[in-house]
Each structure stands twice: as structure tokens, then as C-alpha cells.
């Protein structure tokens, strides 16, 4: 199976559901890029992994990935500082969940730094499924078709798609990788809600996903 065997969470978000209508492949005047500055970020490599308290110079947790796994985030900057920061922190939320899987622990600093409320509990449950089964993933997952909308000064909604056709489950005990053929289930639509905390970090608070969504399929 692909590395996302089940939904990250199943939370009904009325406002996000409305935003989904303009997500993944359609234009939205409020969230269309105002310039052509495309950000493509990946999960970092590690040589060995630093401890969970290791941080970057700006005080944010340092997230590290093994050399055989990578997330690629494709989005265009909007020119709006709040939206662009929310987009960037949204990608770090995703990376923090995967780091917990790679580390085999949900006590990583980044997981609770970029996720809170329902999203944090769902992320812990999700990561534990890998950890308890002694599984991880390898390859590359691509995130694309980002849409962002602000709600006041401290709220945001971000929708995006993922392509898991090049990422696969790996058994930690045997080292065996399950190279499965690509199906519609390799494509997932995500709807997320974020809130800016007192430190200026846009934390993901709620998330819902729809595997096999036609809006994300090529």
C-alpha cells in the first residue's frame, strides 16, 4: 500500500468545506498568487538525527528526515505576509508528523509545535499506527494545488492535494518496501484550519482529508 493507508483525520469543518469548492485546480481571486515566486520545499536529510530538542537559530524545532524519504511542497507565494507564513507553517505541520514516524516517537518537539487541538491528537494517533506496526515510509510525496484564505488576523484555511504515487510503506524489521502500483487512492485532498499563536506560529488545529478525490488526480 502507499504510505498513507488511512485518512489523517476525519473532521467536519463547515468553513473549510466551502473553501474546498475552489481548491485543487480552480482559480480563486483571494488566494491566487500575485507573483511567480514558487516555493518548493523538501524534508531535510539527516546524518545522524539530532535530539528532539535541537532547534534552528530562530527558536523553531529542527525537523530532519532520513535520506530515503522526502516531501516536496509546490506553491506560489501570494505576496501577503500572513498567507505566506500560514502556507509555510502548514508544510512544517506535515513534516513534523512524518518526522514522528521516522523517529518512532510522538514526543518530538516539532509535532506539538506545529499542531494543536484536534489536529495534534489526530496526528499522534496517525503516527502511532506506523510506530506500533514498526513501519515507516520511503520515497517522495508531492504536495500541490495550494489554496489559502484568511479568517481575521489569527485564522487561516489551507487546502491542498498530495501525490503519494512515489512513496511506499517500509517494514522496519525486514527492510522490505511494498512497491504497489499507482491507483486513484494515491491522491488525497486535504482541508486544514490554522490559528496563529502568541509566538506567531501558524499551528494546524483541524484537518480533514479525502483519499482518491478526483480534484487531485491527474
Amino acid at each position: 500500500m502507499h504510505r498513507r493507508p488511512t485518512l489523517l483525520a476525519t473532521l467536519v469543518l463547515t468553513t473549510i468545506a466551502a473553501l474546498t469548492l475552489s481548491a485543487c485546480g480552480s482559480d480563486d481571486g483571494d488566494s491566487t498568487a500575485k507573483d511567480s515566486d514558487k516555493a518548493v520545499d523538501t524534508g531535510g536529510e539527516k546524518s545522524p538525527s539530532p535530539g528532539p530538542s535541537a532547534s534552528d537559530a530562530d527558536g523553531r524545532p529542527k525537523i530532519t528526515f532520513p535520506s530515503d524519504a522526502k516531501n516536496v511542497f509546490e506553491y506560489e507565494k501570494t505576496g501577503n505576509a500572513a498567507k505566506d507564513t500560514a502556507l509555510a507553517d502548514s508544510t512544517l505541520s506535515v513534516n513534523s508528523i512524518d518526522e514522528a514516524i521516522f523517529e518512532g516517537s510522538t514526543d518530538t518537539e516539532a509535532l506539538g509545535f506545529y499542531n494543536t487541538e484536534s489536529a495534534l491528537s489526530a496526528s499522534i494517533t496517525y503516527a502511532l499506527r506506523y510506530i506500533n506496526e514498526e513501519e515507516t515510509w520511503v520515497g517522495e510525496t508531492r504536495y500541490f494545488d495550494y489554496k489559502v484564505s484568511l479568517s481575521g488576523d489569527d485564522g487561516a484555511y489551507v487546502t491542498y492535494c498530495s501525490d503519494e504515487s512515489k512513496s511506499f510503506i517500509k517494514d522496519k524489521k525486514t527492510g522490505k518496501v511494498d512497491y504497489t502500483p499507482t491507483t486513484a487512492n494515491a491522491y488525497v485532498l486535504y482541508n486544514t484550519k490554522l490559528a496563529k499563536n502568541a509566538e506567531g506560529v501558524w499551528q494546524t488545529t483541524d484537518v480533514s482529508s479525502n483519499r482518491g478525490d478526483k480534484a487531485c488526480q491527474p
Side-chain angles (χ1 to χ4, degrees):
M1 65 180 68
H2 292 285
R3 77 172 181 90
R4 300 289 189 196
T6 58
L7 299 181
L8 178 61
T10 308
L11 304 175
V12 179
L13 305 175
T14 303
T15 306
I16 285 182
L19 183 61
T20 303
L21 296 176
S22 62
C24 294
S26 63
D27 293 329
D28 181 277
D30 185 54
S31 57
T32 301
K34 297 179 181 177
D35 56 41
S36 58
D37 188 5
K38 177 175 284 189
V40 180
D41 299 323
T42 65
E45 297 182 356
K46 62 180 182 182
S47 258
S49 169
S53 62
S55 302
D56 290 329
D58 62 359
R60 291 184 171 223
K62 182 178 181 180
I63 298 175
T64 56
F65 275 29
S67 60
D68 59 357
K70 180 170 63 173
N71 285 334
V72 176
F73 303 97
E74 299 176 354
Y75 63 89
E76 294 182 343
K77 293 182 178 180
T78 67
N80 178 290
K83 287 183 178 181
D84 290 340
T85 304
L87 284 168
D89 284 351
S90 173
T91 69
L92 293 172
S93 168
V94 173
N95 278 347
S96 72
I97 299 168
D98 285 326
E99 182 189 45
I101 294 171
F102 299 138
E103 296 293 337
S105 172
T106 56
D107 291 330
T108 56
E109 184 180 2
L111 192 61
F113 191 90
Y114 291 108
N115 304 279
T116 189
E117 300 180 15
S118 297
L120 177 58
S121 60
S123 297
I124 291 173
T125 299
Y126 177 74
L128 284 174
R129 295 192 64 176
Y130 282 87
I131 294 169
N132 293 337
E133 293 294 326
E134 297 191 69
E135 293 179 336
T136 184
W137 64 270
V138 298
E140 176 182 303
T141 302
R142 183 172 67 97
Y143 295 87
F144 61 101
D145 276 1
Y146 276 83
K147 298 288 183 180
V148 57
S149 176
L150 298 178
S151 177
D153 295 331
D154 301 320
Y157 298 97
V158 178
T159 70
Y160 54 91
C161 295
S162 71
D163 172 2
E164 302 170 5
S165 61
K166 296 181 180 179
S167 58
F168 307 94
I169 296 291
K170 178 180 178 180
D171 188 301
K172 284 187 172 182
K173 283 185 176 180
T174 65
K176 181 180 178 181
V177 178
D178 187 6
Y179 291 106
T180 54
T182 299
T183 68
N185 283 335
Y187 303 93
V188 188
L189 173 63
Y190 289 92
N191 301 294
T192 63
K193 180 180 179 181
L194 292 83
K196 185 170 68 173
N197 67 14
E199 289 71 40
V201 179
W202 288 88
Q203 295 179 300
T204 298
T205 61
D206 287 312
V207 59
S208 67
S209 57
N210 185 28
R211 180 170 295 282
D213 197 295
K214 292 183 178 180
C216 296
Q217 296 177 34

